[in-house]
DNA sequence: TTGTAGGCGTTATCAT
DNA sequence: ATGATAACGCCTACAA
């Protein structure tokens, strides 16, 4: 049995015990061709006995790579958890370890995370940008070091890197068109922070749908508010107090949809009769509340997997174009909250 | 400006440019006392100019520590996300980087994660055990290397390590007693997997409450099922088909509570009149469904923070007793689903 | 087929 | 106050 040593066995230990040189051991261990069967056997069996594990630190130092991917994300909510699972899945299989850092939607924290991960010598980065972030110097530093970066979900034009994302505009479009087809006339939209790409794309889809159906765009029906439930609640109360009150609301996240729902109930209005509601993300909760909320489904797990795959590819082929843009497609899940013409 | 070098500057570079020795640079950088003010200034300013960052790999190799904590958790659901946030918070502040690995409740995956993290030379581990895990050899390997381990949330007697957890029994007790006080007579419990500690503790609390109130324990009212919504749904259907049907259900997780709720609705029963329901975790969803579900609140973020703090302490004081057990307290959040005597 | 030596970036010990 | 050297664990020319 392995004697109770604190310190893991090293190549040196094996070499000493076998009275051969370090290099021979190293070769035997890595199945190099030029080592006698006899020595190899001896090395192998002893290394098993000593429970030898190569020291990744030494390896990394030598080869100048850590087989670690730095993942920076704004939070660990439902959507991103799923995506991280996808990343994890692929990365693990490819022999990479993942370091996940949450920025908590904080710009400063994002910089700190980048810094730390850079210090830890991650081989590259998979990033979803915080909503607070408007400057991208910290990410540029990564690229200055010539490390591969993949951005996903919340991408940004300010960072030129291969990317994976949802077709957010299509999502916004299908949500809005669905409401139009259900006979809603005055459709408001709760958009997210103005500087956020996904927010604007979904909003763009909304506008596109109105245009297609020849509905005049009313700026008063577009509200930008923070990505969370409370803001959405108050924004909705505001909307519902307008003279020319909307008869439907599209929110660009489910958190916001929940906030809107609570406000609608507070006002004593009924969904889907008085007012229609469609959210975004298709979080499980949308199917559980009453009425169940229609939502745009996003293939989170797949997006995560795609991001990791793209990363690995970029890694193995450093010259690859930074213009690769992988776009996955949303799907509308219709539930009660928007089903005016129910079956 | 920093010339566009791919390779980060090293001590060597600085030494060369300044025509002094490596050791002097090293000393100057680390503010050693025995270096002339002049040299120090020169080194400092050049290192800034070159944007010098010490190479953590080399440092780690030298000092035999990575300042990295391996975190192994079964999944990234609401509860654990919060806890991870807590861990992150404290670890970051203490200068540690966190590597989070999900086992996906899989025993094999947990072993793999441990292995990987061990190879990556984490300085220690913070672990919440997968529900599938019945053997603990892989964790013993960590301790064999004399690395500190802290277990949290899902702890196990098979692993002797400092731990942080909720007083699960108290949680089970307060949920059950609340139901009793609300006048429910036949209270069933949906417990989790049998080998899981938290499951059994909560169940124990249930039993304790019955005992206190002199209610006879009925084994038929205790169902073990997997930790998820679907199982809970079917288990509840089963419960509700019994002749001596229960008039209240305590589920040891909110996921299960949701499953139970759906089954109750399916059967056309009303909460809280026909049947009472209390869940566990106080996930946001419990407040959003109709009727809102009472639930036992657990201070997730705090538990995470406590785990990380305990880890840091253990780290700095290796001889510390492995018997430290930090226990945080739950709080019952009463909502409609169990409020028979409503105000 | 095997061994020797140098290097990855850093720090620590010992001289000078 | 400064420098040379060995060491952390590993790999890889190059030499034998």
């Amino acid at each position: 049995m392995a004697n109770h040593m604190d310190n893991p066995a090293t190549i040196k230990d094996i070499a000493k015990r076998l009275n051969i040189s370090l290099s021979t051991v190293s070769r035997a261990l890595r199945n190099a061709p030029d080592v006698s069967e006899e020595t190899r056997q001896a090395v192998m069996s002893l290394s098993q006995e000593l429970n030898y594990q190569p020291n990744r630190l030494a390896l990394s130092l030598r080869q100048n790579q850590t087989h670690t991917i730095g993942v920076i994300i704004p939070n660990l909510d439902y959507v991103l958890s799923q995506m991280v699972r996808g990343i994890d899945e692929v990365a693990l299989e490819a022999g990479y370890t993942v370091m996940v850092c949450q920025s908590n939607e904080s710009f400063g924290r994002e910089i700190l995370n980048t810094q730390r991960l850079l210090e830890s010598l991650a081989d590259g980065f998979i990033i979803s940008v915080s909503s607070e972030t408007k400057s991208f110097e910290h990410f540029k530093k990564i690229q200055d070091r010539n490390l591969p970066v993949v951005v996903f979900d919340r991408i940004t034009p300010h960072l030129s890197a291969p990317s994976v994302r949802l077709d957010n505009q299509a999502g916004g479009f299908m949500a809005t068109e669905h409401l139009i087809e259900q006979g809603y006339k005055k459709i408001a939209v709760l958009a997210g922070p103005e500087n956020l790409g996904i927010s604007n794309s979904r909003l763009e889809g909304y506008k596109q749908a109105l245009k297609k159906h020849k509905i005049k765009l009313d700026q008063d029906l577009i509200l930008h508010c923070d990505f969370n439930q409370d803001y959405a609640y108050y924004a909705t109360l505001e909307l519902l107090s307008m003279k020319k009150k909307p008869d439907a609301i599209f929110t660009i996240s489910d958190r916001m949809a929940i906030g809107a729902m609570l406000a609608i109930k507070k006002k004593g209005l009924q969904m889907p009769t008085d007012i229609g509601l469609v959210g975004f993300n298709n979080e499980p909760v949308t199917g559980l509340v009453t009425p169940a909320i229609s939502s745009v489904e996003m293939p989170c797990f797949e997006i995560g997997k795609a991001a990791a795959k793209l990363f690995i590819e970029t890694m193995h082929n450093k010259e690859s174009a930074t213009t690769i843009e992988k776009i996955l497609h949303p799907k509308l899940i219709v539930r009660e909250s928007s089903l005016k013409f129910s079956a």
Side-chain angles (χ1 to χ4, degrees), chain A:
Chain A
M1 286 291 91
N3 25 5
H4 261 295
M5 310 196 302
D6 290 359
N7 300 346
T10 72
I11 284 194
K12 208 189 224 169
D13 299 325
I14 300 182
K16 246 181 220 148
R17 300 249 306 228
L18 256 36
N19 256 323
I20 56 181
S21 77
L22 296 187
S23 26
T24 307
V25 177
S26 172
R27 279 189 281 256
L29 250 14
R30 292 178 311 112
N31 279 320
D34 50 355
V35 55
S36 80
E37 197 45 35
E38 202 184 343
T39 346
R40 164 172 294 120
Q41 292 294 350
V43 169
M44 284 311 193
S45 91
L46 182 56
S47 78
Q48 283 230 311
E49 187 188 333
L50 296 181
N51 191 23
Y52 168 78
Q53 307 268 30
N55 181 320
R56 284 241 310 210
L57 244 36
L59 262 157
S60 298
L61 183 59
R62 183 84 227 292
Q63 319 182 131
N64 204 25
Q65 56 172 324
T66 56
H67 285 273
T68 295
I69 308 175
V71 174
I72 300 179
I73 51 177
N75 59 56
L76 271 177
D77 65 11
Y78 173 76
V79 168
L80 279 160
S81 299
Q82 299 298 317
M83 292 183 178
V84 168
R85 244 187 65 231
I87 293 175
D88 225 52
E89 186 87 9
V90 172
L92 199 69
E93 203 139 322
Y96 283 87
T97 310
V98 169
M99 301 196 66
V100 180
C101 291
Q102 312 178 53
S103 60
N104 289 325
E105 305 282 5
S106 144
F107 177 57
R109 191 64 163 263
E110 196 176 76
I111 294 179
L112 187 60
N113 286 334
T114 310
Q115 174 69 13
R116 286 288 177 92
L117 252 17
L118 226 32
E119 280 173 16
S120 299
L121 300 179
D123 285 346
F125 287 74
I126 299 181
I127 296 172
S128 182
V129 181
S130 139
S131 61
E132 221 181 271
T133 301
K134 284 163 195 161
S135 146
F136 299 83
E137 292 312 309
H138 52 306
F139 293 143
K140 294 266 166 63
K141 275 185 194 162
I142 301 173
Q143 298 181 312
D144 282 351
R145 290 220 193 158
N146 224 350
L147 297 178
V149 173
V150 167
V151 288
F152 74 107
D153 192 32
R154 305 213 201 146
I155 72 168
T156 162
H158 300 96
L159 193 57
S160 88
S163 63
V164 179
R165 65 173 174 90
L166 187 74
D167 187 339
N168 284 294
Q169 182 163 348
F173 179 86
M174 60 179 60
T176 310
E177 181 165 62
H178 163 67
L179 285 168
I180 295 172
E181 285 170 349
Q182 287 292 314
Y184 295 103
K185 302 294 183 194
K186 292 175 61 67
I187 304 171
V189 57
L190 289 191
E194 299 210 46
N195 63 314
L196 206 58
I198 55 169
S199 175
N200 292 325
S201 302
R202 292 172 192 178
L203 182 57
E204 216 40 62
Y206 163 87
K207 291 179 181 170
Q208 185 191 347
L210 294 193
K211 194 167 185 182
K212 175 177 171 193
H213 291 271
K214 315 228 189 300
I215 300 179
K216 205 174 132 248
L217 185 69
D218 180 349
Q219 288 293 348
D220 293 346
L221 292 181
I222 301 178
L223 261 66
H224 284 279
C225 68
D226 213 48
F227 240 138
N228 77 44
Q229 184 174 319
D230 286 346
Y231 280 98
Y233 177 79
Y234 292 111
T236 304
L237 284 185
E238 210 171 293
L239 272 176
L240 297 179
S241 307
M242 291 168 50
K243 264 176 300 193
K244 44 177 190 174
K245 182 168 59 185
D247 64 355
I249 302 178
F250 163 45
T251 67
I252 68 151
S253 86
D254 283 336
R255 293 286 159 96
M256 293 164 81
I258 295 291
M261 176 193 81
L262 294 175
I264 290 168
K265 287 184 175 175
K266 170 86 172 177
K267 282 282 187 177
L269 298 173
Q270 295 293 325
M271 290 164 284
T273 46
D274 300 327
I275 189 160
L277 178 63
V278 177
F280 210 109
N281 285 350
N282 196 34
E283 294 189 25
V285 66
T286 54
L288 296 170
V289 294
T290 311
I293 301 175
S294 303
S295 190
V296 177
E297 182 182 56
M298 141 147 89
C300 303
F301 185 65
E302 297 305 325
I303 289 181
K305 279 172 65 169
K309 272 181 198 151
L310 189 50
F311 177 88
I312 308 278
E313 284 165 21
T314 312
M315 194 67 177
H316 289 344
N317 170 19
K318 284 219 174 186
E319 313 310 326
S320 88
T322 70
T323 54
I324 297 178
E325 199 182 18
K326 193 147 193 180
I327 298 178
L328 307 212
H329 297 287
K331 186 179 151 192
L332 180 68
I333 308 293
V334 177
R335 299 198 179 86
E336 304 160 32
S337 70
S338 65
L339 211 50
K340 214 170 185 175
F341 304 146
S342 52

